Amino acid sequence: MRIISGLQAGASVSETVRLMAQAFRQAGLEDAEIDARALLGHALQLDRAQLISHSDRILAAREIEAASALAARRLKREPVARILGHKEFWNQMLQVTPAVLVPRPETETVVEAALAFVVRGGSRMEKLRILDIGTGSGALLLALLGELPNATGIGTDLSAAALAVARANAEANGLGSRCTFVACDFAAGVQGPFDLIVSNPPYIPRGEIASLAPEVRDYDPTLALDGGTDGLDGYRAIAAEARRLLAPSGSLIVELGGGQEPAVRALFTNAGLTVTAAHNDLTGIARALDATFMA
Ligand SMILES: C[S@@+](CC[C@H](N)C(=O)[O-])C[C@H]1O[C@@H](n2cnc3c(N)ncnc32)[C@H](O)[C@@H]1O
């Protein structure tokens, strides 16, 4: 049986995009056209503009096979970023492997909040010390080091395989000399003080993981999702370490799961932190929380 109905030798680039998008739409995929273009571009080694300028080009049989194989993976709900093996986050291209969460656009809310904190306190040129707890692909740490030319940082993760990806991403983005990576439970293996601590901890309540979209449930590492029974285990661990790690007037900024703001705010307040701001993501959900220890 053909994977993409109607796709056969002699199809042009534009016809192949149309048929792939149609198959994706029929399978209920939201971004059918975008996914089709990204995957066909990957199969043919053509960028977005070239796909348009080569729209009449006729595909060879082996190219049809390659495109069909990628489409089959997408129809099994494998995310496009995993099929391509990379994802752009805050202007940096990051490698993704099965060991790491695919960086999400909403996580850029944490980067924005962190940069706002830096600018409030002085300049982007300061020699800030940054800690990223649960760094995964290195997304948060590398975005910040890219923006703060004199900053240095440490990324932690329980997964050695994730840290290998973060390290490779640091090197690929020219930031390897300003960061180190430590395998440990949250921040147990690092010494402070840090001017800025950021984290996007696993925050899905364990019982909800089974009902997540297949792209997340079946492809993101469970370690990156599972926040314990109520989803808050990571925040508890971070709050417990904050006093030891945060420099005076330093800021702790965490990503929040939808609806978690009141619970995380309470948890941080109980740990002696003062919550200074909450930031919404582009969909209007409270996505990042800033906290500090008041003098
Ligand atoms: C939600 S992912 C965030 C990854 C990355 N910071 C990002 O924003 O894309 C959470 C990360 O925390 C790591 N992690 C989970 N439990 C951990 C623990 N106990 N100690 C350290 N890291 C942990 C996971 O391996 C995963 O990389």
Side-chain angles (χ1 to χ4, degrees), residues 37-271:
R37 288 188 175 282
L39 294 178
L40 186 59
H42 187 64
L44 303 181
Q45 298 293 300
L46 296 177
D47 64 25
R48 255 177 277 178
Q50 289 169 325
L51 270 187
I52 294 167
S53 61
H54 292 66
S55 63
D56 292 336
R57 165 146 106 63
I58 302 299
L59 270 64
R62 64 177 162 70
E63 292 175 326
I64 301 247
E65 264 170 46
S68 298
L70 298 185
R73 289 172 67 180
R74 184 67 193 105
L75 288 168
K76 287 185 186 149
R77 306 295 293 262
E78 185 171 353
V80 168
R82 294 207 179 275
I83 299 172
L84 304 186
H86 56 78
K87 173 82 180 174
E88 192 173 354
F89 181 83
W90 200 268
N91 301 328
Q92 291 176 347
M93 197 52 83
L94 301 178
Q95 179 198 351
V96 295
T97 74
V100 301
L101 187 92
V102 173
R104 307 294 207 268
E106 60 267 29
T107 299
E108 295 189 341
T109 314
V110 177
V111 180
E112 283 162 358
L115 294 177
F117 158 76
V118 171
V119 169
R120 267 198 316 276
S123 102
R124 290 186 181 212
M125 304 309 286
E126 280 175 39
K127 291 186 171 177
L128 297 168
R129 297 151 299 180
I130 303 171
L131 172 64
D132 177 12
I133 302 175
T135 196
S137 62
L140 282 172
L141 179 61
L142 300 179
L144 290 170
L145 292 180
E147 294 286 344
L148 305 169
N150 295 317
T152 54
I154 298 177
T156 73
D157 211 289
L158 203 53
S159 161
L163 290 178
V165 175
R167 206 170 283 120
N169 282 331
E171 295 299 338
N173 285 285
L175 299 167
S177 64
R178 289 197 282 131
C179 55
T180 52
F181 295 96
V182 176
C184 64
D185 189 20
F186 292 106
V190 297
Q191 303 287 329
F194 295 96
D195 305 295
L196 187 51
I197 301 178
V198 290
S199 184
N200 173 17
Y203 55 58
I204 309 293
R206 190 167 297 150
E208 293 178 17
I209 292 176
S211 51
L212 294 174
E215 280 85 349
V216 180
R217 180 193 64 211
D218 298 341
Y219 293 96
D220 277 321
T222 305
L223 185 64
L225 303 175
D226 187 349
T229 311
D230 61 0
L232 302 174
D233 283 1
Y235 302 105
R236 284 191 194 92
I238 292 165
E241 292 277 45
R243 178 82 67 185
R244 176 175 77 82
L245 295 173
L246 204 55
S249 75
S251 185
L252 164 65
I253 304 177
V254 294
E255 176 165 329
L256 302 167
Q260 287 179 329
E261 192 216 324
V264 177
R265 187 182 276 272
L267 214 145
F268 280 8
T269 306
N270 287 339

